[in-house]
Amino acid sequence: MDIDDREVPWEEGQTVLEAARRGGIEIPTLCHHPGLEPYGACRVCLVEIVDGGRKGLSASCCLAAADGLRVVTSSDRVLRARRVVVGFLLDRLPPSSPLRSLAPSLRVSPAPDETGQDDCVACGRCMRACAAVGRHAISFAWRGTRRRPVTPFEASSPDCVGCTACAQVCPTGAIRAEAGNDSMLLDRWKTRVPLVLCQACGQAAGPEPLLARAGDLHQQVYLCAACRRRHAVRFGSGWPVRRAAGPSWPGATPCLPSSAPGHRPVAIVAHLRGCSGES
């Protein structure tokens, strides 16, 4: 595969964006996140196919790498299209930091900084992260400039378990999780999640719905991450779970009890991220 007149190695299943970054070629992105399925919503990562495929502009995050494919990442057509996309987004969301950082490289003049406006760019990262942990508590509503992710009826969602995956992947910081003494508020979703207190130190150990889902692993004994590390406590079989070998999360899944009904590996990893810090 050829990107910007350079031969770039690629592997089966990779996208053009992944192959380009592996080859040291930078393509700007907004809605893309390496831990989520490609979505192609923002169109900031547009590239131009000049040979080996259907010629024209295409989102590199969704374009599969292939032998004989030839693309360019900074042609006049590509840069013009990116300017239009970023310009539209900046008109809608002037205070957005990721957009304002993209503007100079594309020679787009951002409007004067404004505050008090919605900084959601409707990239869908939060929605995809929620789906990846198996909850589907948020989804897109409306069309056009009103399109944005919301909970059903814009009310507190009983499907939210307080994992905060949505806040962690949001590129603009539009989603904030504020923890109090006994509950955590996800302000954008108008959802308040009760917290379970650590049975050793009395500090918040984690969101109750999230820990309740993992109750079959914890046997309903809750300690915060610091107390688990301090006392090296083990609850039942296989908890706390540690990565067996290697630096990757897949190495941890064989350590989990085989009697975890209905849990896909991706959902179990989400439990671990929310419940423990030592891993």
Side-chain angles (χ1 to χ4, degrees), residues 27-46:
I27 299 175
T29 59
L30 187 63
C31 74
H32 175 73
H33 189 284
L36 300 174
E37 289 292 322
Y39 194 57
C42 68
R43 318 303 288 179
V44 171
C45 67
L46 286 173

Side-chain angles (χ1 to χ4, degrees), residues 11-25:
E11 297 177 357
E12 190 68 30
Q14 277 190 326
T15 64
V16 169
L17 175 64
E18 292 168 336
R21 289 185 169 176
R22 183 179 179 184
I25 300 172

Side-chain angles (χ1 to χ4, degrees), residues 121-134:
V121 292
C123 65
R125 278 193 187 184
C126 55
M127 189 181 64
R128 286 177 284 151
C130 191
V133 298

Side-chain angles (χ1 to χ4, degrees), residues 53-249:
R54 184 177 180 180
K55 295 182 180 180
L57 298 178
S58 179
S60 60
C61 66
C62 298
L63 179 62
D67 270 335
L69 186 65
R70 183 169 170 241
V71 302
V72 291
T73 65
S74 56
S75 66
D76 290 342
R77 188 180 179 187
V78 169
L79 295 178
R80 189 165 55 246
R82 288 180 188 161
R83 287 189 199 106
V84 171
V85 169
V86 173
F88 279 149
L89 290 171
L90 273 170
D91 287 342
R92 177 186 171 191
L93 305 162
S96 171
S97 297
L99 292 174
R100 296 182 76 85
S101 63
L102 277 174
S105 62
L106 298 173
R107 291 182 293 171
V108 176
S109 300
D113 193 11
E114 299 180 21
T115 58
Q117 298 188 21
D118 187 2
D119 48 3
C120 173
V121 292
C123 65
R125 278 193 187 184
C126 55
M127 189 181 64
R128 286 177 284 151
C130 191
V133 298
R135 298 311 295 170
H136 303 278
I138 48 180
S139 183
F140 276 129
W142 299 292
R143 294 183 178 180
T145 57
R146 295 186 62 198
R147 181 178 170 86
R148 67 178 189 274
V150 297
T151 55
F153 307 105
E154 296 189 84
S156 176
S157 174
D159 291 328
C160 178
V161 294
C163 67
T164 69
C166 54
Q168 294 174 37
V169 300
C170 178
T172 64
I175 306 166
R176 289 173 288 275
E178 300 174 359
N181 293 331
D182 57 359
S183 65
M184 178 177 63
L185 174 65
L186 292 153
D187 58 350
R188 188 168 190 86
W189 315 131
K190 302 173 183 173
T191 298
R192 186 174 290 278
V193 180
L195 297 175
V196 173
L197 301 183
C198 174
Q199 295 179 2
C201 67
Q203 300 296 315
E208 182 179 327
L210 183 63
L211 294 174
R213 288 191 67 200
D216 52 347
L217 300 178
H218 287 230
Q219 297 182 358
Q220 305 300 325
V221 177
Y222 298 129
L223 294 181
C224 65
C227 287
R228 285 200 297 273
R229 285 196 299 270
R230 187 179 304 119
H231 302 294
V233 179
R234 293 183 66 86
F235 307 108
S237 58
W239 183 261
V241 179
R242 305 176 69 177
R243 282 181 292 204
S248 63
W249 272 103

